[in-house]
Amino acid sequence: MKRPRCGAAPEPGCLQVWAAECEALAERWRAARGSAHGGAATVARQLRGAFGELLLRMRGLPPALPMMPLELTVLYNSLLFVMGTSDCAIKGEAEEIRQGLLRVLEACGTSGQDLSTEQLWQKVLQEVTAEELLAPVHRLGALQAAWWLAASCLQNVTDLFRLLSNAEDPGRAPHTGEKNELLTLLRAWRAPAEEASVSLVQSSEDLKETLCTAAAFLQGLQELEAGNLPNTLCLLQEAAGGFCSRRVLAQIYVCLGCCAQRMGKPQTALQHLKRALQVDFQCHPALSHAAVVYQELGETDAELQALSLLYEALEKNPPSSTSSSPYFLIRTDLLVNTPVLASLLRRRHPSEVKYLLAQRCLQNGRVGDAVEHYLDFLALLQEGLQQQAGILVPLDGGSHLPRIPEVFLEAASALEQDGRHQDSLTVCEEVINRTTNLIPQTVQVEKLEQPECTSLGTGLAGGLLSQKRESLCCLTWRAAAYLHQGWVWTKLGKGKEAITQFSRCLNELLRFQPCGRGLEPAESLLPEVKVLQKIRLLSLIGRGMQFLEQEKHKEALLDFQHGLQISPDDPTAAFYLVKVLWKLNRKQEAADYWQKYLESPAGGDGQQERQGRPFPLYLDSCMKQATFPQNESLARCIEDYLRTTRQDSLR
């Protein structure tokens, strides 16, 4: 038997005044959102306060059944504006809904202060029987689901819609065991019919369609993050056929493209990304991801074209606001706001794209184009893009690109390869000058193993290691600048100047003093230490080559021997050592080294270590110059010597 209803009804005049005010506010919104002159966002913020004030006046009276449908409608409209004028759903929205439900129970003659959210909803749905009250309760349920969805509480949304569905049909068997139960419940949910006179600023049906699209989109992103790509594909395809703006639809196509790319379907990925641009030509992440796919396919022309278009688009179109049209207050982009989506849609800075163009041109041997892009990028720096932090900062906080000194060194490498030797020397000098006061007299790093780096990421020990690694970075850049200058002078045929710069590079490297027990395994060294060792090797080879040209064979011999101590398997140092020994008439030693390195894997292919680019891009040109030239006459001499010694031993 139902409890007796309680709560005195307000005067009919109050209800009429409140209903008229609600209708006037809703009509003002309908006019604003349909206006061709814009300004809907401003009106929305004004109506947010107006509906809030109206709700406060209504709640000044004790709850009564006759007023509850209108009060819940005002609450619904008020919360729509609260959520719709915020960047995301806010925490207070859930508490407002709870207070509304408690007033419904109080009007029905009961209470639910001590009930959990799920229990409160269950009790309200059991108590409410009048159709005119059931409809606004369902609207609040959909709004509660929207808030939970924005907070990624998918299980709570599922539980709530199971309650709402069962309230419509108590005899319905609950859905169980379905992978996407929430979507099944959302599709099956039928909100009670609403009277045409109800002053709603967004209908339940519109909200339902938005929830379906957002749920499919959100679950698709979660499946993508978990690596369940077939499920991702199905969910995102459903979201693409849903209820959303063109901007959000383009974002869904970008996610579909990323999913196809991870599934090993690059052509399908490109189709999705092109579709994103057709839907919204300002969807810049589509161009960014397309460039990555083209790179994987080895289509360099298409990749560079995509990056060029992206740079032009970013230069012309500044970032837009969160929504180009506030027609719907509860939108898909409001409900789907996750780190994985933010990562996929990360907006690149124009300078970052300009750098990528330069880098990819240099990597693909398009030196002339690379130089132009690097010079454009350096001009951006001169205009003050990163003036506040010198040249030691990354390009931007979310970027995985190199530090600025590395970009300078890459530019120097490109200039040198393009024959612009003086410009290359100047850029290197800039790096040297900027790092002069940043390196201590000695840089000591204890326990260079990689595991120590991760375990000491926090605390005092981690801070000290971080400072030492920063000193190592500065030392690396400074030494690399001297190294580049040495090779530039080598190309210019200036042996004396080249030896001077190679020697300065080696003297800089003396600042680094590892404090370990002997030689550490190469795979356990810090990346900065590996690069320092490579720079030392390249400097020794470069200086040794110059000594060799100047007939200073003993000095050259020492440099090549030291080079082999650093990298015992390096074929260039080994073959130059053979050449020096041969010139010093130490023929048996030369022949022994020759045979040893011809039989080693490194001797068979001197380019192996560059595969996979284990060293920074700015060292590539130095590594190419530090290769042993094909010397058939030396090879014939050694082979003749070995043949003669074998014959002598057989006699």
Side-chain angles (χ1 to χ4, degrees):
M1 186 175 178
K2 290 284 184 183
R3 296 183 184 86
R5 308 300 185 183
C6 64
E11 293 293 330
C14 289
L15 278 177
Q16 292 174 358
V17 170
W18 291 335
E21 185 174 349
C22 179
E23 174 59 31
L25 293 175
E27 180 57 34
R28 183 182 171 193
W29 170 244
R30 284 191 286 269
R33 72 181 187 183
S35 172
H37 302 290
T42 301
V43 174
R45 288 190 291 271
Q46 295 170 351
L47 292 177
R48 168 180 175 167
F51 272 110
E53 292 173 2
L54 176 58
L55 181 63
L56 284 176
R57 294 202 301 274
M58 297 184 73
R59 284 184 172 177
L61 295 177
L65 282 177
M67 70 178 290
M68 290 315 300
L70 178 60
E71 181 178 325
L72 294 184
T73 297
V74 173
L75 172 60
Y76 173 78
N77 286 344
S78 174
L79 292 178
L80 282 175
F81 282 110
V82 169
M83 295 175 66
T85 55
S86 305
D87 291 335
C88 60
I90 61 174
K91 295 181 180 180
E93 185 266 356
E95 181 58 30
E96 284 291 329
I97 291 178
R98 181 178 180 85
Q99 291 302 318
L101 296 177
L102 290 174
R103 282 178 64 85
V104 169
L105 289 180
E106 188 176 348
C108 294
T110 183
S111 65
Q113 289 286 354
D114 299 328
L115 299 179
S116 66
T117 300
E118 185 175 349
Q119 291 171 335
L120 179 60
W121 273 107
Q122 194 168 19
K123 188 166 186 178
V124 167
L125 292 169
Q126 288 172 350
E127 290 290 332
V128 172
T129 57
E131 187 71 19
E132 64 271 15
L133 187 53
L134 190 61
V137 166
H138 272 253
R139 288 199 297 271
L140 282 186
L143 202 54
Q144 176 85 72
W147 184 82
W148 273 334
L149 200 62
S152 298
C153 301
L154 292 177
Q155 188 57 52
N156 283 346
V157 183
T158 303
D159 292 340
L160 178 58
F161 269 96
R162 188 181 294 111
L163 286 171
L164 293 174
S165 299
N166 290 340
E168 298 170 36
D169 185 0
R172 178 186 302 176
H175 297 276
T176 57
E178 295 190 29
K179 178 66 180 175
N180 299 315
E181 184 184 0
L182 173 58
L183 290 176
T184 302
L185 289 167
L186 282 170
R187 293 190 208 102
W189 178 59
R190 296 289 181 269
E194 297 168 341
E195 296 181 11
S197 60
V198 174
S199 302
L200 299 178
V201 295
Q202 188 168 337
S203 70
S204 298
E205 191 62 29
D206 288 340
L207 186 53
K208 171 191 170 179
E209 293 298 325
T210 301
L211 284 170
C212 285
T213 304
F217 194 4
L218 183 58
Q219 286 184 289
L221 290 170
Q222 292 183 340
E223 293 292 325
L224 180 64
E225 190 173 22
N228 301 324
L229 301 181
N231 290 339
T232 300
L233 192 62
C234 293
L235 287 161
L236 292 179
Q237 285 174 338
E238 179 165 347
F243 190 71
C244 60
S245 66
R246 295 175 67 87
R247 188 172 70 89
V248 173
L249 180 58
Q251 294 175 359
I252 295 172
Y253 278 120
V254 168
C255 296
L256 278 167
C258 294
C259 178
Q261 180 188 6
R262 296 182 189 183
M263 294 176 77
K265 300 178 179 180
Q267 296 299 336
T268 303
L270 289 173
Q271 290 175 9
H272 287 308
L273 295 171
K274 289 177 182 177
R275 180 65 176 145
L277 289 169
Q278 290 170 355
V279 171
D280 180 7
F281 70 94
Q282 290 191 1
C283 186
H284 300 150
L287 282 171
S288 181
H289 287 288
V292 174
V293 176
Y294 283 127
Q295 180 181 349
E296 292 178 356
L297 290 171
E299 298 183 17
T300 304
D301 289 337
E303 176 199 354
L304 295 178
Q305 183 181 15
L307 288 174
S308 297
L309 290 173
L310 177 59
Y311 178 75
E312 293 174 8
L314 291 173
E315 283 279 279
K316 294 176 182 177
N317 299 314
S320 59
S321 58
T322 55
S323 175
S324 59
S325 173
Y327 187 90
F328 291 106
L329 292 166
I330 303 300
R331 308 175 305 275
T332 303
D333 57 337
L334 184 72
L335 306 181
V336 182
N337 186 14
T338 66
V340 63
L341 181 62
S343 176
L344 293 174
L345 300 178
R346 186 178 74 85
R347 182 184 177 89
R348 294 185 183 273
H349 193 280
S351 63
E352 181 183 357
V353 179
K354 176 59 71 173
Y355 168 76
L356 286 175
L357 277 165
Q359 180 197 57
R360 294 296 296 142
C361 286
L362 185 59
Q363 288 173 342
N364 285 280
R366 304 186 181 201
V367 177
D369 292 336
V371 166
E372 294 306 313
H373 290 308
Y374 276 118
L375 291 179
D376 288 343
F377 178 78
L378 295 179
L380 290 175
L381 293 181
Q382 289 299 111
E383 290 172 7
L385 186 63
Q386 302 290 344
Q387 287 288 322
Q388 68 278 11
I391 63 167
L392 300 183
V393 296
L395 291 172
D396 71 51
S399 171
H400 299 291
L401 299 180
R403 303 280 292 277
I404 295 300
E406 294 191 29
V407 181
F408 271 65
L409 291 169
E410 289 175 17
S413 176
L415 288 163
E416 178 265 319
Q417 293 179 66
D418 199 40
R420 301 174 63 168
H421 299 117
Q422 191 57 52
D423 290 336
S424 179
L425 292 171
T426 301
V427 172
C428 289
E429 198 63 34
E430 181 75 8
V431 175
I432 293 169
N433 292 336
R434 293 293 185 98
T435 54
T436 297
N437 300 320
L438 299 177
I439 309 171
Q441 192 62 36
T442 59
V443 181
Q444 294 184 342
V445 179
E446 301 178 5
K447 297 182 180 180
L448 303 177
E449 295 86 349
Q450 286 280 19
E452 285 294 314
C453 305
T454 54
S455 62
L456 294 179
T458 57
L460 179 60
L464 290 174
L465 182 58
S466 177
Q467 292 176 11
K468 291 180 178 181
R469 290 189 69 171
E470 183 68 7
S471 296
L472 277 179
C473 287
C474 293
L475 178 59
T476 300
W477 300 326
R478 186 176 174 86
Y482 281 126
L483 174 69
H484 271 288
Q485 288 183 328
W487 284 110
V488 170
W489 287 119
T490 297
K491 265 196 170 183
L492 291 171
K494 304 286 187 179
K496 182 178 179 181
E497 290 84 351
I499 289 174
T500 298
Q501 297 310 105
F502 286 132
S503 298
R504 286 176 176 172
C505 173
L506 293 168
N507 289 336
E508 285 294 326
L509 294 175
L510 291 176
R511 299 192 190 196
F512 172 58
Q513 299 179 5
C515 301
R517 296 182 179 179
L519 293 175
E520 304 287 349
E523 62 274 6
S524 68
L525 296 178
L526 292 173
E528 296 85 354
V529 176
K530 294 180 183 179
V531 175
L532 282 176
Q533 289 183 340
K534 191 65 176 179
I535 292 173
R536 188 191 301 273
L537 173 64
L538 294 172
S539 287
L540 287 168
I541 291 174
R543 192 173 69 173
M545 289 168 58
Q546 292 303 310
F547 282 140
L548 192 59
E549 285 191 9
Q550 297 178 16
E551 302 291 329
K552 296 180 179 180
H553 297 141
K554 292 183 179 180
E555 291 87 343
L557 179 64
L558 287 174
D559 278 349
F560 296 135
Q561 286 175 332
H562 289 159
L564 283 175
Q565 288 177 359
I566 296 170
S567 181
D569 296 327
D570 185 77
T572 301
F575 292 147
Y576 270 113
L577 178 62
V578 169
K579 185 174 182 179
V580 175
L581 289 171
W582 190 264
K583 285 183 174 292
L584 289 171
N585 205 30
R586 295 162 61 173
K587 295 184 178 181
Q588 186 59 51
E589 291 180 70
D592 290 342
Y593 274 110
W594 181 266
Q595 286 184 307
K596 175 183 176 181
Y597 282 96
L598 282 182
E599 294 170 359
S600 69
D605 182 5
Q607 307 301 318
Q608 280 187 353
E609 70 171 349
R610 284 207 297 271
Q611 294 180 2
R613 201 177 298 281
F615 296 105
L617 177 61
Y618 61 78
L619 288 182
D620 270 13
S621 60
C622 299
M623 292 167 66
K624 290 174 184 176
Q625 293 183 76
T627 54
F628 187 77
Q630 294 294 330
N631 195 324
E632 296 181 1
S633 61
L634 177 62
R636 282 196 303 269
C637 290
I638 294 176
E639 292 297 330
D640 290 342
Y641 173 80
L642 290 172
R643 192 179 307 109
T644 302
T645 55
R646 282 195 296 268
Q647 291 174 354
D648 290 342
S649 64
L650 292 175
R651 291 174 184 172

